[in-house]
Coordinates of all heavy atoms in Angstrom, one line a residue:
G1 N -39.4 7.1 33.9 CA -38.9 6.4 32.8 C -37.5 6.7 32.5 O -36.9 7.6 33.1
D2 N -36.9 6.0 31.6 CA -35.6 6.2 31.2 C -35.4 7.4 30.3 O -36.0 7.5 29.3 CB -35.1 4.9 30.4 CG -33.6 4.9 30.1 OD1 -32.9 5.9 30.4 OD2 -33.2 4.0 29.5
P3 N -34.6 8.4 30.7 CA -34.5 9.7 29.9 C -33.6 9.5 28.7 O -33.5 10.5 27.9 CB -33.9 10.7 30.9 CG -33.0 9.8 31.8 CD -33.8 8.5 31.9
V4 N -32.9 8.4 28.5 CA -32.0 8.3 27.4 C -32.8 8.0 26.1 O -33.6 7.0 26.1 CB -31.0 7.2 27.7 CG1 -30.1 7.0 26.5 CG2 -30.2 7.5 28.9
K5 N -32.6 8.8 25.1 CA -33.2 8.5 23.8 C -32.5 7.4 23.1 O -31.3 7.3 23.2 CB -33.1 9.8 22.9 CG -34.0 10.9 23.3 CD -33.8 12.1 22.5 CE -34.4 12.0 21.1 NZ -34.3 13.2 20.3
T6 N -33.3 6.5 22.5 CA -32.7 5.5 21.8 C -32.6 5.9 20.3 O -33.3 6.7 19.9 CB -33.5 4.2 21.8 OG1 -34.8 4.5 21.3 CG2 -33.6 3.7 23.3
S7 N -31.6 5.4 19.7 CA -31.4 5.8 18.3 C -31.4 4.5 17.4 O -31.2 3.4 17.9 CB -30.1 6.5 18.1 OG -29.0 5.6 18.4
K8 N -31.7 4.7 16.2 CA -31.8 3.6 15.3 C -30.7 3.7 14.3 O -30.5 4.8 13.7 CB -33.2 3.7 14.6 CG -33.5 2.5 13.6 CD -34.9 2.6 13.2 CE -35.0 3.1 11.8 NZ -36.4 3.1 11.3
V9 N -30.0 2.6 14.0 CA -29.0 2.6 13.0 C -29.6 2.5 11.6 O -30.4 1.6 11.4 CB -28.0 1.5 13.3 CG1 -26.9 1.4 12.2 CG2 -27.3 1.6 14.6
L10 N -29.2 3.4 10.7 CA -29.8 3.3 9.4 C -29.1 2.1 8.6 O -27.9 1.9 8.8 CB -29.5 4.6 8.6 CG -30.1 5.9 9.2 CD1 -29.7 7.1 8.4 CD2 -31.6 5.8 9.2
P11 N -29.9 1.5 7.8 CA -29.3 0.4 7.0 C -28.2 0.9 6.0 O -28.4 1.9 5.5 CB -30.5 -0.2 6.3 CG -31.5 0.9 6.2 CD -31.3 1.7 7.4
L12 N -27.2 0.1 5.9 CA -26.1 0.5 4.9 C -26.6 0.1 3.5 O -26.8 -1.1 3.3 CB -24.8 -0.2 5.3 CG -23.6 0.2 4.5 CD1 -23.3 1.7 4.6 CD2 -22.4 -0.6 5.0
K13 N -26.8 1.0 2.7 CA -27.3 0.7 1.3 C -26.2 0.5 0.3 O -26.5 -0.1 -0.7 CB -28.3 1.8 0.9 CG -29.6 1.9 1.7 CD -30.6 2.8 1.1 CE -31.8 2.7 2.0 NZ -32.9 3.5 1.4
Y14 N -25.1 1.1 0.6 CA -24.0 0.9 -0.4 C -22.7 0.6 0.4 O -22.3 1.4 1.2 CB -23.8 2.2 -1.1 CG -22.5 2.3 -2.0 CD1 -22.4 1.5 -3.1 CD2 -21.5 3.1 -1.6 CE1 -21.3 1.5 -3.9 CE2 -20.3 3.1 -2.4 CZ -20.2 2.3 -3.5 OH -19.1 2.3 -4.2
A15 N -22.2 -0.5 0.2 CA -21.0 -0.9 0.9 C -20.0 -1.4 -0.2 O -20.0 -2.5 -0.6 CB -21.2 -2.0 1.9
P16 N -19.0 -0.5 -0.6 CA -18.1 -1.0 -1.6 C -17.2 -2.0 -1.0 O -16.9 -2.1 0.2 CB -17.3 0.3 -1.9 CG -17.5 1.2 -0.7 CD -18.8 0.8 -0.1
S17 N -16.7 -2.9 -1.8 CA -15.8 -4.0 -1.4 C -14.5 -3.4 -0.8 O -13.9 -4.0 0.1 CB -15.5 -5.0 -2.5 OG -14.9 -4.3 -3.6
S18 N -14.1 -2.3 -1.3 CA -12.9 -1.6 -0.7 C -13.3 -0.1 -0.8 O -13.9 0.4 -1.7 CB -11.7 -1.9 -1.5 OG -11.8 -1.5 -2.9
P19 N -12.8 0.7 0.2 CA -13.1 2.1 0.2 C -12.5 2.8 -1.0 O -11.4 2.4 -1.5 CB -12.5 2.6 1.5 CG -11.5 1.6 1.9 CD -12.0 0.3 1.3
P20 N -13.1 3.9 -1.5 CA -12.5 4.6 -2.6 C -11.2 5.2 -2.2 O -11.0 5.6 -1.1 CB -13.6 5.7 -2.9 CG -14.4 5.8 -1.7 CD -14.4 4.5 -1.0
S21 N -10.3 5.3 -3.1 CA -8.9 5.9 -2.8 C -9.1 7.4 -2.7 O -8.3 8.0 -2.0 CB -7.9 5.5 -3.9 OG -8.3 5.9 -5.1
V22 N -10.0 8.0 -3.4 CA -10.2 9.4 -3.3 C -11.7 9.7 -3.1 O -12.5 9.1 -3.8 CB -9.8 10.1 -4.6 CG1 -10.1 11.6 -4.6 CG2 -8.3 9.9 -4.8
L23 N -12.1 10.4 -2.1 CA -13.5 10.8 -1.9 C -13.8 12.0 -2.7 O -13.1 13.0 -2.7 CB -13.7 11.1 -0.4 CG -13.5 10.0 0.6 CD1 -13.6 10.6 2.0 CD2 -14.5 8.9 0.4
S24 N -14.8 11.8 -3.5 CA -15.2 12.9 -4.4 C -16.2 13.9 -3.7 O -16.3 15.0 -4.0 CB -15.7 12.4 -5.7 OG -16.9 11.6 -5.5
C25 N -17.1 13.3 -2.8 CA -18.1 14.1 -2.2 C -18.3 13.5 -0.8 O -18.6 12.4 -0.6 CB -19.4 14.1 -3.0 SG -20.7 15.1 -2.2
V26 N -18.3 14.4 0.2 CA -18.5 14.0 1.6 C -19.6 14.8 2.2 O -19.7 16.0 2.1 CB -17.2 14.2 2.5 CG1 -17.5 13.9 3.9 CG2 -16.1 13.4 1.9
G27 N -20.6 14.1 2.8 CA -21.7 14.7 3.5 C -21.2 15.0 4.9 O -20.6 14.2 5.6
V28 N -21.4 16.3 5.4 CA -21.0 16.7 6.7 C -22.1 17.2 7.5 O -22.8 18.2 7.2 CB -19.9 17.8 6.6 CG1 -19.5 18.3 8.0 CG2 -18.7 17.3 5.8
L29 N -22.5 16.4 8.6 CA -23.5 16.8 9.5 C -22.8 17.8 10.5 O -21.7 17.7 10.8 CB -24.0 15.6 10.3 CG -25.1 14.8 9.8 CD1 -25.5 13.7 10.8 CD2 -26.3 15.6 9.3
G30 N -23.6 18.8 10.9 CA -23.0 19.8 11.8 C -22.1 20.7 11.1 O -21.2 21.3 11.8
A31 N -22.3 20.9 9.9 CA -21.4 21.8 9.1 C -21.4 23.2 9.5 O -20.4 23.9 9.3 CB -21.7 21.7 7.6
T32 N -22.4 23.7 10.2 CA -22.5 25.1 10.6 C -21.9 25.2 12.0 O -21.7 26.4 12.5 CB -23.9 25.6 10.6 OG1 -24.7 24.8 11.5 CG2 -24.5 25.7 9.2
G33 N -21.5 24.1 12.6 CA -20.9 24.2 14.0 C -19.3 24.2 13.9 O -18.7 24.2 12.8
Q34 N -18.7 24.1 15.0 CA -17.2 24.2 15.1 C -16.6 22.9 14.5 O -15.7 23.0 13.7 CB -16.8 24.4 16.5 CG -17.1 25.8 17.0 CD -16.5 26.0 18.4 OE1 -16.1 25.1 19.1 NE2 -16.5 27.2 18.9
Q35 N -17.0 21.7 14.9 CA -16.3 20.5 14.5 C -16.6 20.3 13.0 O -15.7 20.0 12.2 CB -16.7 19.3 15.3 CG -16.2 19.3 16.7 CD -16.7 18.1 17.5 OE1 -17.4 17.3 17.1 NE2 -16.2 18.1 18.8
G36 N -17.9 20.2 12.7 CA -18.3 20.0 11.3 C -17.8 21.1 10.4 O -17.3 20.8 9.2
G37 N -17.8 22.3 10.8 CA -17.2 23.4 10.0 C -15.7 23.3 9.8 O -15.3 23.5 8.6
A38 N -15.0 22.8 10.7 CA -13.6 22.6 10.6 C -13.3 21.5 9.6 O -12.4 21.6 8.7 CB -12.9 22.3 11.9
V39 N -14.1 20.4 9.7 CA -14.0 19.3 8.7 C -14.3 19.8 7.3 O -13.6 19.5 6.4 CB -14.9 18.1 9.2 CG1 -15.0 17.1 8.1 CG2 -14.3 17.5 10.5
L40 N -15.4 20.5 7.2 CA -15.8 21.0 5.9 C -14.6 21.9 5.3 O -14.3 21.7 4.1 CB -17.0 21.9 6.0 CG -17.6 22.5 4.8 CD1 -19.1 22.6 4.8 CD2 -17.0 24.0 4.6
Q41 N -14.1 22.8 6.0 CA -13.0 23.6 5.5 C -11.8 22.8 5.1 O -11.2 23.1 4.1 CB -12.6 24.7 6.6 CG -13.7 25.7 6.9 CD -14.0 26.6 5.7 OE1 -13.1 26.8 4.9 NE2 -15.2 27.2 5.7
A42 N -11.4 21.8 5.9 CA -10.3 20.9 5.6 C -10.5 20.1 4.3 O -9.6 20.0 3.4 CB -10.0 20.0 6.7
L43 N -11.7 19.6 4.1 CA -12.1 18.9 2.9 C -12.0 19.7 1.7 O -11.5 19.4 0.6 CB -13.4 18.2 3.1 CG -13.5 17.0 4.0 CD1 -15.0 16.7 4.3 CD2 -12.7 15.8 3.5
V44 N -12.6 20.9 1.8 CA -12.7 21.8 0.6 C -11.2 22.3 0.3 O -10.9 22.3 -0.9 CB -13.6 23.1 0.9 CG1 -13.4 24.2 -0.1 CG2 -15.0 22.6 1.0
A45 N -10.4 22.5 1.3 CA -9.0 22.8 1.0 C -8.3 21.7 0.3 O -7.3 22.0 -0.5 CB -8.3 23.1 2.3
K46 N -8.7 20.5 0.4 CA -8.1 19.4 -0.3 C -8.8 19.1 -1.6 O -8.4 18.1 -2.3 CB -8.2 18.1 0.6 CG -7.4 18.1 1.8 CD -5.9 18.0 1.5 CE -5.1 17.9 2.8 NZ -3.7 17.9 2.5
G47 N -9.7 19.9 -2.0 CA -10.4 19.8 -3.3 C -11.6 18.8 -3.3 O -12.1 18.5 -4.4
V48 N -12.1 18.4 -2.1 CA -13.2 17.5 -2.0 C -14.5 18.3 -2.0 O -14.6 19.3 -1.3 CB -13.1 16.7 -0.7 CG1 -14.3 15.7 -0.6 CG2 -11.8 15.9 -0.7
S49 N -15.5 17.9 -2.8 CA -16.8 18.5 -2.7 C -17.5 18.1 -1.4 O -17.3 17.0 -1.0 CB -17.7 18.1 -3.9 OG -17.1 18.6 -5.1
V50 N -18.2 19.0 -0.8 CA -18.9 18.8 0.4 C -20.4 19.1 0.4 O -20.8 20.1 -0.2 CB -18.2 19.6 1.6 CG1 -19.0 19.5 2.9 CG2 -16.8 19.2 1.7
V51 N -21.2 18.2 0.9 CA -22.6 18.5 1.1 C -22.7 18.9 2.6 O -22.5 18.0 3.5 CB -23.5 17.3 0.8 CG1 -24.9 17.6 1.2 CG2 -23.4 16.9 -0.7
A52 N -23.0 20.1 2.9 CA -23.1 20.7 4.2 C -24.6 20.4 4.6 O -25.5 21.0 4.1 CB -22.8 22.1 4.3
I53 N -24.8 19.5 5.6 CA -26.1 19.1 6.0 C -26.5 19.8 7.3 O -25.8 19.8 8.3 CB -26.2 17.6 6.2 CG1 -25.8 16.9 4.9 CG2 -27.6 17.2 6.6 CD1 -25.6 15.4 4.9
T54 N -27.6 20.6 7.3 CA -28.0 21.4 8.4 C -29.5 21.3 8.6 O -30.3 21.0 7.6 CB -27.6 22.8 8.2 OG1 -28.0 23.6 9.3 CG2 -28.1 23.4 6.9
R55 N -30.0 21.6 9.8 CA -31.4 21.6 10.0 C -32.0 22.9 9.4 O -33.2 22.9 9.0 CB -31.7 21.7 11.5 CG -31.5 20.3 12.2 CD -31.7 20.5 13.7 NE -30.5 21.3 14.2 CZ -30.2 21.4 15.5 NH1 -30.9 20.9 16.4 NH2 -29.2 22.2 15.8
N56 N -31.2 24.0 9.3 CA -31.7 25.2 8.9 C -30.9 25.8 7.8 O -30.0 26.6 8.1 CB -31.8 26.2 10.1 CG -32.4 27.5 9.7 OD1 -32.9 27.7 8.6 ND2 -32.5 28.4 10.7
P57 N -31.2 25.5 6.5 CA -30.4 26.1 5.4 C -30.6 27.6 5.3 O -29.8 28.2 4.5 CB -30.9 25.3 4.2 CG -32.2 24.8 4.6 CD -32.2 24.6 6.1
S58 N -31.5 28.2 6.0 CA -31.7 29.6 5.9 C -30.9 30.4 6.9 O -31.0 31.6 6.9 CB -33.2 29.9 6.1 OG -34.0 29.3 5.1
S59 N -30.2 29.7 7.8 CA -29.4 30.4 8.8 C -28.2 31.2 8.1 O -27.8 30.9 7.0 CB -28.8 29.4 9.8 OG -27.8 28.7 9.2
E60 N -27.7 32.2 8.8 CA -26.6 33.0 8.2 C -25.4 32.1 8.0 O -24.7 32.2 6.9 CB -26.3 34.1 9.1 CG -27.4 35.2 9.2 CD -27.7 35.8 7.8 OE1 -26.8 36.1 7.1 OE2 -28.9 35.9 7.5
K61 N -25.1 31.2 8.9 CA -23.9 30.3 8.7 C -24.1 29.4 7.5 O -23.2 29.2 6.7 CB -23.7 29.4 10.0 CG -23.2 30.2 11.1 CD -22.9 29.3 12.3 CE -22.4 30.1 13.5 NZ -22.1 29.2 14.6
A62 N -25.3 28.8 7.3 CA -25.6 28.0 6.2 C -25.5 28.8 4.9 O -24.9 28.3 3.9 CB -26.9 27.3 6.3
K63 N -26.0 30.0 4.9 CA -25.9 30.8 3.7 C -24.4 31.1 3.3 O -24.1 31.2 2.2 CB -26.7 32.1 3.9 CG -28.2 31.9 3.9 CD -28.9 33.3 4.1 CE -30.4 33.1 4.2 NZ -31.1 34.4 4.5
A64 N -23.6 31.4 4.3 CA -22.2 31.6 4.1 C -21.5 30.4 3.5 O -20.7 30.5 2.6 CB -21.5 32.0 5.4
L65 N -21.9 29.2 4.0 CA -21.3 28.0 3.4 C -21.8 27.8 2.0 O -21.0 27.3 1.1 CB -21.7 26.8 4.2 CG -21.2 26.7 5.7 CD1 -21.8 25.5 6.4 CD2 -19.7 26.6 5.6
A66 N -23.0 28.1 1.7 CA -23.5 28.0 0.3 C -22.8 28.8 -0.7 O -22.7 28.5 -1.9 CB -25.0 28.3 0.3
G67 N -22.1 29.9 -0.2 CA -21.4 30.7 -1.1 C -20.0 30.2 -1.4 O -19.3 30.8 -2.2
L68 N -19.6 29.2 -0.7 CA -18.2 28.6 -0.9 C -18.2 27.7 -2.1 O -19.1 27.0 -2.4 CB -17.8 27.8 0.3 CG -17.6 28.6 1.6 CD1 -17.3 27.6 2.7 CD2 -16.6 29.7 1.5
S69 N -17.0 27.7 -2.8 CA -16.8 26.8 -3.9 C -16.8 25.3 -3.4 O -16.3 25.1 -2.3 CB -15.5 27.1 -4.6 OG -15.2 26.2 -5.6
K70 N -17.4 24.4 -4.1 CA -17.4 23.0 -3.8 C -18.3 22.6 -2.6 O -18.2 21.5 -2.1 CB -16.0 22.4 -3.5 CG -15.1 22.5 -4.8 CD -13.9 21.6 -4.5 CE -13.3 21.1 -5.8 NZ -14.0 20.1 -6.5
V71 N -19.2 23.5 -2.2 CA -20.1 23.3 -1.1 C -21.5 23.4 -1.6 O -21.9 24.4 -2.2 CB -19.8 24.2 0.1 CG1 -20.8 24.0 1.2 CG2 -18.4 24.1 0.6
E72 N -22.3 22.4 -1.2 CA -23.8 22.4 -1.5 C -24.4 22.2 -0.1 O -24.1 21.3 0.6 CB -24.2 21.3 -2.4 CG -25.7 21.2 -2.6 CD -26.1 20.0 -3.4 OE1 -25.3 19.3 -3.9 OE2 -27.4 19.8 -3.5
V73 N -25.4 23.1 0.2 CA -26.1 23.0 1.5 C -27.4 22.2 1.3 O -28.1 22.6 0.3 CB -26.4 24.4 2.1 CG1 -27.2 24.3 3.4 CG2 -25.1 25.1 2.4
R74 N -27.6 21.3 2.1 CA -28.9 20.5 2.1 C -29.5 20.4 3.5 O -28.8 20.4 4.5 CB -28.7 19.1 1.6 CG -28.2 19.0 0.2 CD -28.0 17.5 -0.3 NE -27.4 17.4 -1.5 CZ -26.9 16.2 -2.0 NH1 -27.1 15.1 -1.3 NH2 -26.3 16.2 -3.2
Q75 N -30.8 20.4 3.5 CA -31.5 20.3 4.8 C -31.8 18.9 5.2 O -32.1 18.0 4.4 CB -32.9 21.1 4.7 CG -33.6 21.3 6.0 CD -34.4 20.1 6.5 OE1 -34.9 19.3 5.7 NE2 -34.6 20.0 7.8
A76 N -31.7 18.6 6.5 CA -32.0 17.3 7.0 C -32.3 17.4 8.5 O -31.8 18.3 9.2 CB -30.9 16.2 6.8
D77 N -33.0 16.5 9.1 CA -33.3 16.4 10.5 C -32.9 15.0 11.0 O -33.3 14.0 10.4 CB -34.8 16.6 10.7 CG -35.2 16.7 12.1 OD1 -34.7 15.9 12.9 OD2 -36.0 17.6 12.5
L78 N -32.2 15.0 12.1 CA -31.7 13.7 12.6 C -32.9 12.8 13.0 O -32.7 11.6 13.2 CB -30.8 13.9 13.8 CG -29.4 14.6 13.5 CD1 -28.6 14.8 14.7 CD2 -28.7 13.7 12.5
D79 N -34.0 13.3 13.2 CA -35.2 12.5 13.6 C -36.0 12.1 12.4 O -37.1 11.5 12.5 CB -36.1 13.3 14.6 CG -35.4 13.5 15.9 OD1 -34.7 12.6 16.4 OD2 -35.6 14.6 16.5
D80 N -35.5 12.4 11.2 CA -36.2 12.1 10.0 C -35.3 11.3 9.0 O -34.5 11.9 8.3 CB -36.7 13.4 9.3 CG -37.5 13.2 8.0 OD1 -37.6 12.0 7.5 OD2 -38.0 14.2 7.5
Q81 N -35.5 10.0 9.0 CA -34.6 9.1 8.2 C -34.6 9.5 6.7 O -33.6 9.5 6.1 CB -35.0 7.6 8.4 CG -34.1 6.7 7.6 CD -34.4 5.2 7.8 OE1 -34.9 4.9 8.9 NE2 -34.1 4.4 6.9
K82 N -35.8 9.7 6.2 CA -35.9 10.1 4.8 C -35.1 11.3 4.4 O -34.5 11.4 3.4 CB -37.4 10.2 4.4 CG -38.2 9.0 4.5 CD -38.2 8.2 3.2 CE -39.2 7.0 3.3 NZ -38.6 5.8 3.0
S83 N -35.2 12.3 5.3 CA -34.4 13.6 5.0 C -32.9 13.3 5.0 O -32.2 13.9 4.3 CB -34.8 14.7 6.0 OG -34.3 14.5 7.3
L84 N -32.5 12.4 5.9 CA -31.1 12.1 6.0 C -30.6 11.3 4.7 O -29.6 11.5 4.2 CB -30.8 11.2 7.2 CG -30.8 12.0 8.5 CD1 -30.8 11.1 9.7 CD2 -29.7 13.0 8.6
E85 N -31.5 10.3 4.3 CA -31.1 9.6 3.1 C -31.0 10.5 1.9 O -30.1 10.4 1.1 CB -32.2 8.5 2.8 CG -32.2 7.4 3.8 CD -33.3 6.4 3.7 OE1 -34.1 6.6 2.8 OE2 -33.4 5.5 4.5
A86 N -32.0 11.5 1.8 CA -31.9 12.4 0.7 C -30.7 13.3 0.8 O -30.0 13.6 -0.2 CB -33.2 13.3 0.7
A87 N -30.4 13.8 2.0 CA -29.2 14.7 2.2 C -27.9 14.0 1.8 O -27.0 14.6 1.3 CB -29.2 15.2 3.6
F88 N -27.7 12.8 2.2 CA -26.5 12.0 1.9 C -26.4 11.4 0.5 O -25.4 10.8 0.1 CB -26.3 11.0 3.0 CG -25.7 11.5 4.3 CD1 -26.5 11.6 5.4 CD2 -24.4 11.9 4.4 CE1 -26.0 12.1 6.6 CE2 -23.8 12.3 5.6 CZ -24.7 12.5 6.7
S89 N -27.5 11.5 -0.2 CA -27.6 10.9 -1.6 C -26.4 11.5 -2.4 O -26.2 12.7 -2.5 CB -28.9 11.3 -2.2 OG -29.0 10.8 -3.5
G90 N -25.7 10.6 -3.1 CA -24.6 11.0 -3.9 C -23.3 11.1 -3.2 O -22.2 11.3 -3.9
C91 N -23.3 11.1 -1.9 CA -22.0 11.2 -1.1 C -21.3 9.9 -1.0 O -22.0 8.8 -0.9 CB -22.3 11.7 0.3 SG -23.0 13.4 0.3
D92 N -20.0 9.9 -1.1 CA -19.3 8.6 -0.9 C -18.5 8.6 0.4 O -17.6 7.8 0.6 CB -18.4 8.3 -2.1 CG -17.5 9.4 -2.6 OD1 -17.2 10.3 -1.7 OD2 -17.0 9.4 -3.7
G93 N -18.8 9.6 1.2 CA -18.2 9.6 2.6 C -19.0 10.5 3.5 O -19.9 11.2 3.0
A94 N -18.8 10.3 4.8 CA -19.6 11.1 5.7 C -18.8 11.5 7.0 O -18.0 10.7 7.4 CB -20.9 10.3 6.1
F95 N -19.1 12.6 7.5 CA -18.7 13.1 8.8 C -19.9 13.4 9.6 O -20.7 14.2 9.2 CB -17.8 14.3 8.8 CG -17.4 14.8 10.1 CD1 -16.3 14.2 10.8 CD2 -18.1 15.8 10.7 CE1 -16.0 14.6 12.1 CE2 -17.7 16.3 12.0 CZ -16.7 15.7 12.7
V96 N -20.1 12.7 10.7 CA -21.3 12.8 11.5 C -21.0 13.2 12.9 O -20.2 12.6 13.6 CB -22.0 11.4 11.5 CG1 -23.3 11.6 12.4 CG2 -22.4 11.0 10.1
V97 N -21.6 14.3 13.3 CA -21.5 14.8 14.7 C -22.9 15.2 15.1 O -23.6 15.8 14.3 CB -20.4 16.0 14.8 CG1 -20.9 17.2 14.0 CG2 -20.2 16.4 16.3
A98 N -23.2 14.9 16.3 CA -24.5 15.3 16.9 C -24.4 15.6 18.3 O -23.5 15.1 19.0 CB -25.5 14.1 16.7
N99 N -25.3 16.4 18.8 CA -25.4 16.8 20.2 C -26.1 15.7 21.0 O -27.4 15.7 20.9 CB -26.0 18.2 20.4 CG -26.0 18.6 21.8 OD1 -25.7 17.9 22.8 ND2 -26.5 19.8 22.1
F100 N -25.4 14.8 21.7 CA -26.1 13.7 22.4 C -27.1 14.2 23.4 O -28.1 13.6 23.6 CB -25.0 12.9 23.1 CG -25.5 11.8 24.0 CD1 -26.0 10.6 23.5 CD2 -25.6 12.0 25.4 CE1 -26.5 9.6 24.3 CE2 -26.2 11.1 26.2 CZ -26.6 9.9 25.6
W101 N -26.8 15.4 24.0 CA -27.7 15.8 25.1 C -28.9 16.6 24.6 O -29.8 16.9 25.4 CB -26.8 16.7 26.1 CG -25.7 15.9 26.6 CD1 -24.4 16.1 26.3 CD2 -25.8 14.9 27.6 NE1 -23.6 15.2 27.1 CE2 -24.5 14.4 27.9 CE3 -26.8 14.3 28.3 CZ2 -24.2 13.4 28.8 CZ3 -26.5 13.3 29.2 CH2 -25.2 12.9 29.4
E102 N -28.9 17.0 23.4 CA -30.1 17.8 22.9 C -31.4 17.0 23.0 O -31.5 15.8 22.7 CB -29.9 18.1 21.4 CG -30.9 19.0 20.8 CD -30.6 19.5 19.4 OE1 -29.4 19.9 19.2 OE2 -31.5 19.5 18.6
G103 N -32.4 17.7 23.6 CA -33.7 17.1 23.8 C -33.8 16.3 25.0 O -34.8 15.6 25.3
M104 N -32.8 16.3 25.9 CA -32.8 15.5 27.1 C -33.2 16.4 28.2 O -33.1 17.5 28.3 CB -31.5 14.8 27.4 CG -31.1 13.8 26.3 SD -29.6 12.9 26.7 CE -30.3 11.6 27.7

């Protein structure tokens, strides 16, 4: 069979007619990794609140993020649409990074 996992695009539930001039809260997938972590740090440095989305909020890296000002850690799984919807709830921006090869 074909080893490539297929992905499903989540429906866009909120589409402003124009993007906000200032993002007040950004959801960051991969916040405990290098790319997501760098984005999180840059956003916080600019005064933006961040929802750090991780599979394991009990990890040491996630606990360290939870101790930062303007950061809230939430749990989600990329294979669970409901958890993603809940994790991004209230965010008006998103940074998404995923390991394409994971599970292959």
